Amino acid sequence: MKLEQALPRIIAIDGPAASGKSSVGQRLAAHLRYLYFDTGAMYRAVAFLAWERGILPYDEPGLSELARTTRIDVVPSAPGDPRPYVVQVEGRDITEGLRLPEVEAIVSPVSAHPGVRAALTAQQRRIGLAGQVVMVGRDIGTVVLPEADFKLYLDASLEERARRRYAEYRTRGQRVTFEEILASMRERDRIDSTRETAPLRQAPDAVYVDTTALSLDEVFEHILHLITTRARNRINPKT
Ligand code: CDP
Ligand code: CDP
């Protein structure tokens, strides 16, 4: 068996906000030539459209209908476009809207509704089962793709994660304070991990990596090493 054939077909990455899921997931996907799929973008798209259309975060029937009836496409961006992916809704590019503070504020309550999750999970599962995919989110290893053959749970302290997000906001020129980010992230963590349907949780068979004191390069190298070591052990099982 060749190394490529022994690599995991489906890689699931979960963890709280700014734990490094997207950065590591993108690098891993590029390295393995896999599809990178960010499920958070779909939840953000539903939250953005709800905000735009005045559907309130507690309107479960309205939000479920929106998630069920709207076609959300998360597609790799065109060559030369620095964005890792583009989110389209009926031909309209809504990618920039997904990181608005208005979306950040409602995305967790919107995502907690079982009807919203059922609609999006079904689409994500279909994409994931095709394989050669790195799928990133909160419930990928536990609910969306429990059969994933490599599961990773990334974590970092709340303060470190807020520092990372703050730096990103500053780079984009968005005016927010560190305290605002810290508070909104703490609240998002709370809602994401205590909701009844598909809460943020480490799958029992996931590898846990605390990235608080690690650079992106260090996290990436560590994970790549784990994946290739496992693949080599599949080819040449230790006796
Ligand atoms: O990038 P960041 O980690 O801050 O957020 P994201 O991955 O874009 O996810 C935004 C929100 O969508 C999360 O806070 C969750 O409420 C929700 N989400 C979810 O419920 N399940 C997923 N598989 C992915 C995201
Ligand atoms: O996808 P998720 O919200 O989990 O996190 P991310 O968007 O990959 O990372 C959030 C920010 O933290 C990015 O600007 C990364 O470059 C940075 N980061 C870091 O500085 N060190 C790490 N070990 C991981 C991420």
Side-chain angles (χ1 to χ4, degrees), residues 176-191:
V176 280
T177 66
F178 176 77
E179 285 68 31
E180 281 166 345
I181 294 201
L182 189 77
S184 116
M185 208 174 245
R186 182 184 281 123
E187 180 60 0
R188 209 141 62 80
D189 282 357
R190 188 188 66 75
I191 299 172

Side-chain angles (χ1 to χ4, degrees), residues 17 21 39 44 108 117 138-139 165 188 192 195:
K21 304 180 298 294
T39 59
R44 285 176 182 271
S108 281
R117 302 204 71 78
R138 297 291 185 290
D139 59 341
R165 221 5 79 79
R188 209 141 62 80
D192 290 348
R195 69 182 174 223

Side-chain angles (χ1 to χ4, degrees), residues 33-156:
R33 296 176 201 275
Y34 280 18
L35 171 72
Y36 167 72
F37 195 89
D38 181 353
T39 59
M42 295 182 89
Y43 287 97
R44 285 176 182 271
V46 173
F48 172 76
L49 295 170
W51 169 68
E52 217 181 33
R53 296 175 192 184
I55 304 172
L56 296 172
Y58 51 79
D59 178 1
E60 153 114 65
L63 292 166
S64 302
E65 166 83 5
L66 179 67
R68 219 178 25 248
T69 56
T70 314
R71 191 190 156 118
I72 302 167
D73 291 309
V74 184
V75 291
S77 48
D81 184 338
R83 300 175 297 177
Y85 55 78
V86 168
V87 180
Q88 286 169 344
V89 172
E90 276 126 32
R92 175 177 160 224
D93 181 346
I94 61 160
T95 320
E96 294 340 297
L98 305 185
R99 296 277 159 187
L100 287 173
E102 289 84 351
V103 171
E104 200 85 14
I106 62 166
V107 65
S108 281
V110 165
S111 308
H113 296 300
V116 172
R117 302 204 71 78
L120 300 192
T121 299
Q123 298 178 45
Q124 293 160 7
R125 210 172 141 64
R126 224 177 7 254
I127 294 163
L129 286 178
Q132 318 292 103
V133 66
V134 178
M135 195 167 276
V136 167
R138 297 291 185 290
D139 59 341
I140 311 306
T142 50
V143 174
V144 178
L145 296 164
E147 59 274 88
D149 31 21
F150 187 81
K151 299 182 187 177
L152 189 61
Y153 188 92
L154 294 183
D155 205 356

